[in-house]
């Protein structure tokens, strides 16, 4: 439909209904209605509480609380019921009156009525007609257009589609500006925010801020607390169908009602209502849609299927991963805590809901939010306008993360991890795996971008396809001393791009350049100052750490790890008469490394080979093996926790390496601790440690070997002269002859610069 026609009919509709509303209807008032929180101990108390009201506001299934709206008469009954309750709001009407006032004149300072929402969508389209356009998903039961905004940037390849709707429940006003703000950010920040730019190019965004348009208008004109649509149910004076009980998956089940007077009336059949039917048709007509969101208020929850059954969804692990990330992103913005979980167990059973349909029938990942405030907070749906902007701000990064995760064109991973250092001579490789997401990789179009000086230009290095999902690339020779910053870009077969890290080039990976210098290497054949039970709180009764040639059992290694030698640290290396003879029992045993001074080596890494077995015996896979680090005297920080379950809890030597500064700012007293413990009874716990090593990455020691042949001698003179005569900062004349070497090797006096002051030191080095 051309925009002008759409606009006229929408406006005509709004004016028409607004006039009818104000001419005919008295605003429903809520004078002296209370909002109360009731604590219920069991089903019977829950039923009793629900019988007192026809307006359940929300429920905290885990805490056993219900927020209810009560008329003065209903409240008197509650007071007599014997139920335990707290009054949250004494006079709801006063809150509603305050809500209408707004706090200023800014866009997000007050709630917008339906006409205001449509105007705002127009504003966004006018701002960036190249990115945004309006679409009509269908008509409401009263004939209003349900309007959405479609946003997408450059690129004509088939893009992953991301669908959002809010205000399926009319009174949940905060959901409207939350989605409008989200659309606003995508449109307005396209030119200035790398992440927005990439995501807007990558995806096709469909945002429907007011799905229940009739109901929303009605909350402005007639009844602030209207929830359902405006269906005129035949044979009754009760209007409306709960649009979040009208979808086909689980339709008619528990947590929905067949009574038209009920707030959760499901309608006469699944998709009996035009508002749900048109969304169904829209989603099915856009098979590129990969994720679906239905935004509600309130209770500060992040929910996923199922709502109709207590069973966990097949993708529970993915949901938990994405959900945990989303709630931690939300918390970072204004400190608000949202609880993640499946609908059924987190709020209550709700059958025939939108996200169950999106997941169960359309087959896309679906989420539903319950926005601010948390349950038990005065106001509930009537959220003060001061909280509009903070709510919108905290939801934004969570939605971006979710969209990024679910719309990945390809997945870029580093099977060997990210490098903890890069050699200056160009010998360090980066292994990359690229697996299909919405799209597949163009194997000839993968690039490593790398630079040594922060803020400088990136060099593009083509990445080699090894075969299958595997790729590899060498870091080009780097000037020693500065960190290398890098990111990877993978082109896809249909012309998209995927970045790692996602926010590149604003965000980059960073790693020191230098040659590995072993500061400490211990194959455990001799005692280099390890201690056990330093704090004196070990309480294991058997299986304490000792250093020996282990005697093999089904849970303990027969051989240490080192190629030569026989010894390692092990939680009692004796075998004994049975598997459980010398394993860790009844408590913990702790092993402490020597103390290291890292003040000169802020980039130092630690590595070790470890063995852990907890998967045999009575309570298998319940204990953990912990590795911790401290600046002596401060708290211990976890470096890694092995187990309780996983691939590495059944014995076997595994290698781990960490950069110390990723965990703490190193001082001269850094120490490591290895703790094996046995919590339950009956489990077999064994741990071992070998080949512990601390490395730093340095440029010294190489000075003078300017031709990089591994020796300092007369053959370095030509190279040295060449560096001194070359043009900084690139020293190209030198690299033309020694492409894999490092001009900083001519910094013989170690002052960080290459110049005539190095000549004396160079001569001294040659004379050594
Ligand atoms: O009852 C509902 O529909 C939702 N709570 S609300 O207070 N916003 O009404 C919770 C149900 C979860 N959502 C879906 N089943 N889609
Ligand atoms: Zn809702």
């Amino acid at each position: 439909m051309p925009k002008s026609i759409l606009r006229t009919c929408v406006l005509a509709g709004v004016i028409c209904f607004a006039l009818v509303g104000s001419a005919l209807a008295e605003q429903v008032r809520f004078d002296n209605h209370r909002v109360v929180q009731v604590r219920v101990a069991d089903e019977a108390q829950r039923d009793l509480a629900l019988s007192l009201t026809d307006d359940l506001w929300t429920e905290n299934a885990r805490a056993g609380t219900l927020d209810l709206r009560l008329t003065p008469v209903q409240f008197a009954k509650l007071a007599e019921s014997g139920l335990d309750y707290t009054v949250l709001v004494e006079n709801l009407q006063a809150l509603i009156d305050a809500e209408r006032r707004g706090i200023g004149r800014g866009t997000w300072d007050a709630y917008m009525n339906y006409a205001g929402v449509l105007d705002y969508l127009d504003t966004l389209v006018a701002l960036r007609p190249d990115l945004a356009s309006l679409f009509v998903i269908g008509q409401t039961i009263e004939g209003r257009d349900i309007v959405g905004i479609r946003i997408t940037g450059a690129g004509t390849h088939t893009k992953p589609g991301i669908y959002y709707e809010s205000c399926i429940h009319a009174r949940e006003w905060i959901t409207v500006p939350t989605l409008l703000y989200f659309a606003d950010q995508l449109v307005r920040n396209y030119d200035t925010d790398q992440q927005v730019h990439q995501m807007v190019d990558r995806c096709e965004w469909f945002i429907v801020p007011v799905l229940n348009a009739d109901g929303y208008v009605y909350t402005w004109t007639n009844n602030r607390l209207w929830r359902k649509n405006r269906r005129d149910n035949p044979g009754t004076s009760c209007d409306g169908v709960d649009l979040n009980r009208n979808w086909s998956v689980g339709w008619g089940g528990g947590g929905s009602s067949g009574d038209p007077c009920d707030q959760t009336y499901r309608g006469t059949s699944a998709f009996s209502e035009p508002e749900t039917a048109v969304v169904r048709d829209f989603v099915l007509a856009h098979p590129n849609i990969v994720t679906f969101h239905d935004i509600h208020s309130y209770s500060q929850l992040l929910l996923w299927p199922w709502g109709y059954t207590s069973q966990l969804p097949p993708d529970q692990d993915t949901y938990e991963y994405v959900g945990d990330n989303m709630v931690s992103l939300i918390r970072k913005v204004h400190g608000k805590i949202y609880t993640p979980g499946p609908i059924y167990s987190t709020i209550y059973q709700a059958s025939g809901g939108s996200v169950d349909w999106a997941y169960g029938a359309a087959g896309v990942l679906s989420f539903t939010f319950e926005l601010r405030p948390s349950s038990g907070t005065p106001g509930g749906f009537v959220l003060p306008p001061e909280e509009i902007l903070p709510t919108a701000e905290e939801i934004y990064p969570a939605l971006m993360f979710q969209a990024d995760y679910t719309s990945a064109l390809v997945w870029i991973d580093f099977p060997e991890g990210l490098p903890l250092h890069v050699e200056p001579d160009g010998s360090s490789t980066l292994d990359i795996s690229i697996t299909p997401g919405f799209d597949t990789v163009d194997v000839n179009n993968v690039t490593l971008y790398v630079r040594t000086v922060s803020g400088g230009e990136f060099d593009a290095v083509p990445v080699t396809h090894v075969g299958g999902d595997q790729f590899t690339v060498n870091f080009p020779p780097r000037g020693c001393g500065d960190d290398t910053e890098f990111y990877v870009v993978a082109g896809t077969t249909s012309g998209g791009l995927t970045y790692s890290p996602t926010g590149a080039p604003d965000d980059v990976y960073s790693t020191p350049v230098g040659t590995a210098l072993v500061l400490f290497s211990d194959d455990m054949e001799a005692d280099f100052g390890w201690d056990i039970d330093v704090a004196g709180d070990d309480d294991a009764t058997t299986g304490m750490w000792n250093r020996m040639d282990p005697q093999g059992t089904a849970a303990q290694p027969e051989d240490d790890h080192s190629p030569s030698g026989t010894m390692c640290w092990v939680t009692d290396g004796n075998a004994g008469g049975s598997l459980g003879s010398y394993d860790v029992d009844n408590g913990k045993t702790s092993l402490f490394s020597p103390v290291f001074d890292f003040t000169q080596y802020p980039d130092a890494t630690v590595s070790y080979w470890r063995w852990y077995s907890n998967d045999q015996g009575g309570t298998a896979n319940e204990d953990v093996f912990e590795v911790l680090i401290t600046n002596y005297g401060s708290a211990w920080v976890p470096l890694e926790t092995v187990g309780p379950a996983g691939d590495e809890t059944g014995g076997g030597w595994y290698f781990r390496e960490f950069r110390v500064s990723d965990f703490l700012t190193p001082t001269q007293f850094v120490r490591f601790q290895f703790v094996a413990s046995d919590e339950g009874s009956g489990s077999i716990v064994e741990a071992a440690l070998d080949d512990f090593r601390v490395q730093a990455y340095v440029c010294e020691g190489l000075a003078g070997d300017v031709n990089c042949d591994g020796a300092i001698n007369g053959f370095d003179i030509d190279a040295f002269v060449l560096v001194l005569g070359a043009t900084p900062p690139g020293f190209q004349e030198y690299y033309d002859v020694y492409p894999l070497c490092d001009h900083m090797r001519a910094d013989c006096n170690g002052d960080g610069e290459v110049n005539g002051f190095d000549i004396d030191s160079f001569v001294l080095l040659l004379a050594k």
Side-chain angles (χ1 to χ4, degrees):
M1 183 185 315
K3 205 185 94 193
S4 54
I5 301 176
L6 155 74
R7 205 69 192 84
T8 326
C9 79
V10 167
L11 275 179
V14 170
I15 289 163
C16 165
F17 285 103
L19 287 177
V20 169
S22 52
L24 298 183
E26 285 277 298
Q27 286 265 358
V28 177
R29 295 188 60 84
F30 297 91
D31 296 296
N32 301 317
H33 284 220
R34 287 178 182 80
V35 182
V36 298
Q37 184 179 60
V38 182
R39 281 167 289 279
V40 294
D42 51 36
E43 275 300 298
Q45 287 196 351
R46 181 176 185 268
D47 290 346
L48 174 58
L50 289 174
S51 74
L52 294 170
T53 178
D54 49 12
D55 198 10
L56 165 66
W57 273 23
T58 191
E59 177 168 1
N60 186 331
R62 293 177 192 175
T65 57
L66 306 169
D67 292 8
L68 311 174
R69 176 179 60 85
L70 299 175
T71 63
V73 174
Q74 292 167 334
F75 179 69
K77 289 192 182 137
L78 172 67
E80 290 163 8
S81 70
L83 288 166
D84 181 14
Y85 67 87
T86 313
V87 176
L88 302 173
V89 178
E90 288 284 356
N91 178 8
L92 183 56
Q93 188 61 45
L95 281 186
I96 292 175
D97 294 343
E99 179 191 46
R100 281 280 182 111
R101 287 184 209 121
I103 54 173
R105 290 172 166 274
T107 306
W108 315 110
D109 283 350
Y111 291 97
M112 292 178 201
N113 63 17
Y114 193 54
V117 171
L118 296 175
D119 271 352
Y120 201 76
L121 291 176
D122 275 349
T123 308
L124 292 182
V125 173
L127 261 177
R128 290 304 295 254
D130 56 328
L131 302 177
S133 56
L134 298 189
F135 64 98
V136 174
I137 203 165
Q139 281 74 40
T140 63
I141 197 156
E142 291 181 341
R144 286 188 179 80
D145 280 341
I146 304 171
V147 182
I149 183 166
R150 173 185 178 273
I151 300 170
T152 196
T156 50
H157 54 284
T158 305
K159 300 181 177 192
I162 312 220
Y163 174 85
Y164 304 85
E165 66 186 28
S166 55
C167 207
I168 195 172
H169 287 143
R171 63 188 174 183
E172 297 165 10
W173 282 13
I174 182 57
T175 66
V176 177
T178 300
L179 269 194
L180 269 189
Y181 176 87
F182 187 67
D184 179 274
Q185 297 297 294
L186 295 183
V187 168
R188 257 179 232 276
N189 296 343
Y190 181 76
D191 287 343
T192 52
D193 181 322
Q194 273 299 326
Q195 191 198 18
V196 168
H197 196 103
Q198 282 174 25
M199 291 299 293
V200 167
D201 284 355
R202 187 204 296 176
C203 301
E204 186 177 19
W205 307 78
F206 302 108
I207 299 171
V208 181
V210 187
L211 178 61
N212 182 3
D214 298 345
Y216 189 61
V217 170
Y218 194 72
T219 59
W220 281 81
T221 55
N222 294 60
N223 180 348
R224 172 64 185 87
L225 294 176
W226 192 256
R227 167 182 168 98
K228 301 185 278 183
N229 76 347
R230 292 298 302 146
R231 160 77 67 184
D232 182 3
N233 293 312
T236 162
S237 61
C238 297
D239 293 337
V241 170
D242 183 349
L243 296 177
N244 206 28
R245 300 294 183 277
N246 191 237
W247 305 67
S248 60
V249 171
W251 185 86
S256 73
S257 170
D259 174 358
C261 294
D262 200 287
Q263 291 280 33
T264 58
Y265 176 48
R266 63 179 83 105
T268 51
S269 63
F271 298 116
S272 59
E273 304 312 295
E275 293 88 349
T276 52
V278 297
V279 174
R280 172 199 59 194
D281 295 345
F282 182 83
V283 171
L284 295 178
H286 291 81
N288 63 321
I289 290 178
V290 293
T291 176
F292 179 104
H293 304 252
D294 184 21
I295 319 277
H296 292 251
S297 72
Y298 67 103
S299 284
Q300 290 178 199
L301 305 172
L302 176 55
L303 305 171
W304 56 78
W306 305 102
Y308 80 100
T309 169
S310 60
Q311 288 195 336
L312 292 179
D315 294 297
Q316 172 71 9
D317 287 352
T318 303
Y319 275 122
E320 263 180 25
Y321 172 78
V322 178
D324 287 350
N325 275 281
M326 290 171 83
V327 300
S328 77
L329 286 166
I330 292 173
R331 191 171 179 173
K332 275 190 200 147
V333 180
H334 295 296
K336 289 293 178 194
I337 296 172
Y338 283 59
T339 305
I343 294 162
Y344 190 103
S345 58
T346 311
I347 181 163
Y348 42 59
Q349 185 183 19
S351 298
S354 61
V355 298
D356 280 5
W357 175 82
Y359 184 60
V364 302
L365 278 193
S366 62
F367 284 87
T368 182
F369 278 92
E370 297 284 351
L371 300 180
R372 289 191 191 194
S374 54
S375 69
T377 303
F381 301 112
V382 188
L383 185 70
E386 291 84 340
E387 295 202 44
I388 295 173
L389 188 56
T391 304
E393 285 170 343
E394 71 200 8
I395 297 307
Y396 170 84
L399 292 181
M400 281 306 255
F401 172 86
Q402 198 273 355
D404 184 20
Y405 181 89
T406 51
S407 69
L409 300 182
V410 294
W411 293 93
I412 302 177
D413 290 304
F414 304 100
E416 305 296 323
L418 288 164
L420 294 174
H421 86 284
V422 167
E423 292 286 336
D425 65 359
S427 64
S428 296
T429 58
L430 179 66
D431 291 334
I432 306 168
S433 85
I434 305 178
T435 44
F438 188 78
D439 202 348
T440 52
V441 64
D442 170 2
V443 296
N444 298 315
N445 187 14
V446 182
T447 311
L448 170 73
Y449 288 87
V450 55
R451 71 179 175 193
T452 304
V453 180
S454 211
E457 292 288 304
F458 285 97
D459 296 328
V461 186
V463 171
T464 308
H465 183 215
V466 177
D469 297 336
Q470 300 307 310
F471 295 78
T472 191
V473 63
N474 267 64
F475 282 96
R478 317 306 305 155
C480 192
D482 286 318
D483 283 359
T484 274
E485 296 183 338
F486 63 96
Y487 63 96
V488 174
V489 182
T492 65
T493 22
S494 45
L497 293 175
T498 296
Y499 294 73
S500 178
T502 341
D506 289 355
D507 298 332
V508 290
Y509 300 117
S510 176
T511 192
V513 178
T515 296
L517 170 75
V518 176
L519 299 177
F520 178 80
S521 180
D522 192 345
D523 61 6
M524 313 300 182
E525 298 304 315
D527 187 350
F528 279 108
W530 294 73
D531 278 320
I532 60 168
D533 194 15
V534 166
D537 60 353
D538 281 4
D539 49 4
T541 51
T542 60
M544 278 75 86
W545 286 103
N546 63 6
R547 193 173 58 82
M548 64 181 283
D549 176 2
Q551 301 173 350
T553 73
Q556 175 168 293
E558 163 77 40
D559 290 312
D560 76 336
H561 175 265
S562 332
S564 65
T566 56
M567 313 267 271
C568 62
W569 281 98
V570 50
T571 53
D572 204 327
N574 289 294
S578 73
L579 193 56
S581 298
Y582 284 100
D583 80 311
V584 182
D585 277 331
N586 303 314
K588 72 168 179 119
T589 176
S590 56
L591 171 67
F592 292 77
S593 75
V595 176
F596 300 100
D597 178 353
F598 285 139
T599 41
Q600 299 301 312
Y601 308 108
D603 288 324
T605 57
V606 61
S607 65
Y608 47 82
W609 287 83
R610 58 156 163 79
W611 172 292
Y612 184 58
S613 175
N614 75 349
D615 66 342
Q616 301 183 66
T619 48
N621 287 117
E622 285 190 7
D623 296 306
V624 293
F625 180 37
E626 290 173 279
V627 185
L628 307 136
I629 180 174
T630 189
N631 275 321
Y632 213 66
S634 330
W636 289 92
V637 178
L639 208 56
E640 65 158 335
T641 301
V642 191
D647 298 339
E648 300 182 2
T649 61
W653 287 105
Y654 291 95
F655 177 76
R656 278 293 179 283
E657 186 168 25
F658 300 98
R659 180 182 291 142
V660 170
S661 62
D662 288 344
F663 298 86
L664 43 74
T665 307
T667 65
Q668 71 254 52
F669 300 119
V670 175
R671 199 166 202 188
F672 300 88
Q673 184 184 177
F674 298 80
V675 185
S677 52
D678 177 38
E679 296 283 332
S681 57
S683 57
I684 305 294
V685 173
E686 293 283 8
L689 178 74
D690 204 3
D691 294 333
F692 180 93
R693 174 182 273 213
V694 174
Q695 296 191 138
Y697 304 95
V698 293
C699 302
E700 316 96 70
L702 306 170
D705 179 17
V706 195
N707 67 354
C708 290
D709 66 355
I712 302 171
N713 52 34
F715 294 117
D716 292 300
I717 298 173
D718 281 357
F720 184 76
V721 172
L722 199 50
V723 173
L724 259 55
T727 321
F731 295 91
Q732 201 51 54
E733 296 88 332
Y734 166 76
Y735 284 112
D736 287 344
V737 183
Y738 301 101
L740 295 182
C741 201
D742 179 5
H743 71 275
M744 287 306 284
R745 289 175 179 234
D747 176 21
C748 296
N749 67 356
D751 67 353
E753 289 182 349
V754 171
N755 52 33
F757 296 119
D758 293 302
I759 297 173
D760 283 357
S761 308
F762 180 62
V763 172
L764 277 176
L765 284 170
L766 285 183
K768 267 196 188 168

